[in-house]
Amino acid sequence: MTNPIADPLVEIPDTDVLSDLVLIEATPDGVATVTINRAAKRNAFNAEVIAALHEAFRTLSDADGVRLVFLTGAGASFSAGADLEWMKAAVEWTESENREDAMGLASMLKALHDLPQLTVALIDGPAFGGGAGLAAACDMAVATERSTFAFSEVKLGLTPATISPYVIRAIGARNAKMLFATGQVFDAAEAQGYGLVSQVVADAAAFDAVRAGLSTAIKACAPGAVADAKDLVNDIEGAEIDRGVMEETAKRIAARRVSEEGREGVTAFLEKRKPGWAE
């Protein structure tokens, strides 16, 4: 694998799964970038790309020194979705074989969704099918004005089943029904309106400012608190606000107050200094 993250941030596993199909780079201050590196195929998915992405996310999940993860695609596309040769082969597989193959994509998306760091998709160009699913599985997505999106599976007699949990959470059930059922292409401004994209920028050159701004912002935040805040949203979203939720949220803030990070953060604020994680 090229561009490995240098120790002590991450120890790259000795495995053939991590390959030039997916690159990981990181800065000394803990900002990692995962790049789908298949520009000639518009960064389309196949089993090898999915496995490489999954291994990259598993590696980053254990990287204590990484605070922020960007996900992007090489060349002119973020990801065009499924590779045509991969789809052609799947037609000849049994339902059981297709289910096992689909679980690879499902597991990869869950690994991305569950990363403890803030995850940001940087989208320049088409993000179709699974590519749009990657954007939805990230915590936020920034797209250029030229970017386009589609869930076009129904035009092939399929459905966007594996990516649906993340897309529905991002854009809501009504928007998902409309976009899933029509397979229509929509632009970055529409994607922002639906909630799939957090911010639209002029072009890829503007990603530098996005990276810099988020890198600065995340340094002020306690890493453990960021991970817990993400878990909080995942666990509380959609829950009825009953006694159980009240007790659970009270338990969580109490645990944070007595945690090492919580004590350091409050003490640093009162002493008018930066907390240890921000130095």
Side-chain angles (χ1 to χ4, degrees):
M1 174 181 184
T2 58
N3 304 112
I5 297 178
D7 290 337
L9 291 179
V10 173
E11 181 179 350
I12 299 298
D14 182 14
T15 174
D16 292 335
V17 173
L18 284 172
S19 68
D20 285 347
L21 292 173
V22 172
L23 309 179
I24 304 179
E25 300 174 287
T27 63
D29 55 352
V31 178
T33 300
V34 177
T35 303
I36 308 172
N37 189 40
R38 207 177 179 223
K41 295 290 186 179
R42 302 174 67 204
N43 299 318
F45 288 176
N46 59 16
E48 292 73 27
V49 170
I50 290 170
L53 281 170
H54 193 182
E55 190 61 33
F57 299 144
R58 287 177 57 190
T59 299
L60 290 169
S61 70
D62 295 326
D64 292 336
V66 174
R67 309 275 296 277
L68 177 62
V69 177
F70 292 103
L71 175 63
T72 191
S77 297
F78 179 71
S79 175
D83 178 270
L84 294 178
E85 293 300 317
W86 184 44
M87 293 174 62
K88 181 179 178 181
V91 171
E92 305 299 324
W93 297 340
T94 66
E95 183 174 347
S96 177
E97 289 170 333
N98 269 287
R99 184 167 59 249
E100 182 178 354
D101 179 75
M103 277 301 298
L105 176 58
S107 298
M108 179 271 284
L109 290 168
K110 186 68 162 56
L112 169 59
H113 175 267
D114 288 350
L115 281 176
Q117 305 92 347
L118 180 70
T119 56
V120 185
L122 298 177
I123 302 165
D124 183 35
F128 293 165
L134 284 175
C138 286
D139 300 320
M140 61 180 292
V142 180
T144 61
E145 292 177 353
R146 77 179 191 92
S147 297
T148 51
F149 305 80
F151 304 102
S152 54
E153 287 86 350
V154 290
K155 294 182 178 180
L156 301 175
L158 307 174
T159 62
T162 316
I163 64 175
S164 64
Y166 311 101
V167 177
I168 293 169
R169 279 190 173 191
I171 69 176
R174 192 168 190 180
N175 285 331
K177 286 180 181 179
M178 181 266 292
L179 294 173
F180 287 0
T182 63
Q184 70 186 50
V185 177
F186 51 101
D187 63 23
E190 291 172 303
Q192 186 176 25
Y194 296 139
L196 183 62
V197 165
S198 315
Q199 180 182 354
V200 178
V201 296
D203 52 35
F207 286 156
D208 289 342
V210 172
R211 289 176 182 272
L214 288 174
S215 297
T216 298
I218 208 68
K219 288 175 189 174
C221 305
V226 170
D228 283 355
K230 290 181 57 171
D231 287 341
L232 178 66
V233 175
N234 292 333
D235 295 341
I236 300 301
E237 178 192 27
E240 182 182 352
I241 305 174
D242 56 12
R243 181 75 181 184
V245 165
M246 293 165 62
E247 290 178 348
E248 176 62 23
T249 53
K251 181 177 73 174
R252 293 192 186 201
I253 186 57
R256 271 276 123 202
R257 287 175 180 171
V258 300
S259 70
E260 183 177 347
E261 284 185 346
R263 293 182 186 278
E264 166 64 7
V266 173
T267 301
F269 176 78
L270 294 174
E271 294 177 353
K272 302 186 187 309
R273 61 172 175 82
K274 289 183 179 180
W277 59 79
E279 293 177 351

